[in-house]
Amino acid sequence: MRIVIAEDSVLLLDGLTRLLTSEGHEVTGHRTADDAVAALGRPAGPGHPLPDLLVTDVRMPPTHTDEGLRAAVHLRSVHPELPVLVLSQYVEQRYASELFAGDVRGLGYLLKDRIADVDELLDAVGRVSGGGTVIDPEVVAQLLARARRPVLERLTAREREVLALMAEGRSNAAIAERLVVGTAAVEKHVTSILTKLELTPGADDHRRVLAVLRYLEHAPLRGDLS
């Protein structure tokens, strides 16, 4: 079986490669998600066959946030038949929800710290590459919890406070002055708000305006931000 691994940890990449190679698999490793996308993002053909499985981490260079999972979502959109096993220490809820929103055949998401032994990992590799679905119960629990949460409850108290001031039409500088914090801190809160409200950059959308609209839709009456 041909397996591609996207993992920035040298030790883990080497360990997984040795383990899977010892099981008779052909393994190719990539240290960044961009490298994996460059290798697999082209149309499949006689000269560029798809691997039997992509194993990817979530947090990878350059920002170490969600590059690996975003790469998996992208590659599944290009190659819906590509089996993907996410192997991470973290549950990145937004892109995990997107990954599992369609056909879940050939998909897996396991937490590294909860894999009891090598046989469990090898079993997951075999099941996902064969079209099965393997999801850690903790991943399921977090995705369900996220789906149940009202949209503004995803924000911290300070982020809701910043969003309320945005709804008043205040600039970042004005918000910083009101909250007695630096402008950089406000910018960080705004970025987090836009991410948690799932307002991705788009050519036709102004995310700040959309965030305010989302606030006006869901904010409690009487301005209660608690």
Side-chain angles (χ1 to χ4, degrees):
M1 186 161 63
R2 295 178 58 250
I3 300 176
V4 171
I5 303 175
E7 170 61 64
D8 65 305
S9 168
V10 175
L11 294 179
L12 186 54
L13 177 57
D14 183 68
L16 287 173
T17 299
R18 289 173 182 269
L19 170 64
L20 295 171
T21 301
S22 70
E23 294 293 317
H25 303 303
E26 177 186 337
V27 179
T28 302
H30 297 287
R31 295 284 306 283
T32 72
D34 286 345
D35 287 344
V37 170
L40 303 178
R42 70 188 77 179
H48 304 288
L50 285 178
D52 299 295
L53 179 68
L54 168 65
V55 180
T56 182
D57 195 1
V58 169
R59 299 186 177 183
M60 300 187 69
T63 67
H64 294 279
T65 54
D66 53 19
E67 283 88 348
L69 192 49
R70 283 193 286 114
V73 171
H74 169 71
L75 290 172
R76 280 282 289 203
S77 70
V78 176
H79 305 296
E81 70 277 23
L82 174 65
V84 174
L85 173 60
V86 178
L87 188 60
S88 180
Q89 291 177 285
Y90 311 96
V91 181
E92 206 297 323
Q93 297 178 355
R94 177 187 170 192
Y95 286 104
S97 297
E98 188 172 344
L99 182 65
F100 287 95
D103 188 349
V104 299
R105 289 175 295 180
L107 284 179
Y109 198 133
L110 295 179
L111 299 179
K112 294 174 181 176
D113 294 342
R114 288 168 55 87
I115 296 176
D117 52 45
V118 169
D119 288 340
E120 182 179 347
L121 175 60
L122 293 176
D123 177 67
V125 166
R127 290 167 61 188
V128 173
S129 63
T133 304
V134 180
I135 310 178
D136 188 289
E138 179 62 24
V139 175
V140 174
Q142 292 197 36
L143 294 182
L144 288 176
R146 179 182 185 275
R148 288 194 296 264
R149 278 188 298 166
V151 64
L152 295 186
E153 287 188 11
R154 301 174 190 172
L155 308 182
T156 65
R158 176 47 65 95
E159 287 168 350
R160 293 198 299 272
E161 191 174 6
V162 169
L163 182 53
L165 293 171
M166 288 167 58
E168 295 177 9
R170 298 176 185 265
S171 66
N172 286 358
I175 294 172
E177 182 178 358
R178 174 68 177 272
L179 299 180
V180 195
V181 298
T183 303
V186 173
E187 292 173 352
K188 183 178 180 180
H189 287 311
V190 171
T191 298
S192 180
I193 289 167
L194 298 178
T195 298
K196 290 181 180 179
L197 296 185
E198 302 183 5
L199 299 175
T200 55
D204 300 322
D205 296 331
H206 192 300
R207 294 197 295 165
R208 194 179 181 100
V209 172
L210 292 176
V212 169
L213 291 175
R214 193 73 59 86
Y215 169 78
L216 295 175
E217 287 178 18
H218 297 279
L221 296 176
R222 313 176 73 89
D224 181 9
L225 297 177
S226 60

